[in-house]
Amino acid sequence: MREPTIAIYTEEEMNSADAVASEVNLSLHGANRVLERDIPLEALEGVRHLMPLLNSKPLKFRYKGVFVVARLVNGSPRIITAWRLLPPS
C-alpha cells in the first residue's frame, strides 16, 4: 500500500518548469504535524537546501527553529515529521 503524499509549491513554482525539481512531499504524519502544530513552511526550504544530502535513510536537522526529519522517496524529498524547537531559556 502506498502512503499518501502532499506536495506543496510556492506561487512562483506553480508557473515554473522547475516545479517538479523543487517538489517537497509530506508523509501523512508530516502533513498533520505541519497543519496541527503550526510548523512554518520555512521547514520546506531547509529540505530543499539539504536535498543533495538526502537518501533513503532519514536525515534529522534543525532549520529556522524547526527540527525536521526527512528522506528521499522515489527521487523526491519527503518530510516525515517536524516540530518547533523550544527557545533557549
Side-chain angles (χ1 to χ4, degrees):
M1 183 171 126
R2 278 187 58 182
E3 182 178 351
T5 60
I6 298 169
I8 298 177
Y9 299 98
T10 63
E11 190 172 318
E12 296 85 30
E13 291 171 335
M14 291 300 290
N15 300 321
S16 170
D18 298 330
V20 174
S22 60
E23 176 181 290
V24 174
N25 294 310
L26 299 167
S27 67
L28 190 56
H29 176 73
N32 284 337
R33 296 292 293 192
V34 169
L35 295 173
E36 293 176 0
R37 305 289 180 157
D38 196 28
I39 303 298
L41 293 179
E42 286 85 14
L44 301 175
E45 267 181 49
V47 173
R48 289 182 181 145
H49 290 301
L50 293 176
M51 194 165 155
L53 300 175
L54 293 177
N55 57 34
S56 61
K57 183 177 177 183
L59 176 67
K60 299 173 186 177
F61 63 93
R62 292 179 179 144
Y63 186 79
K64 293 188 178 182
V66 178
F67 190 84
V68 180
V69 180
R71 68 185 185 112
L72 208 58
V73 176
N74 297 328
S76 294
R78 178 176 293 172
I79 294 178
I80 299 169
T81 189
W83 61 88
R84 285 184 183 271
L85 295 171
L86 296 175
S89 44

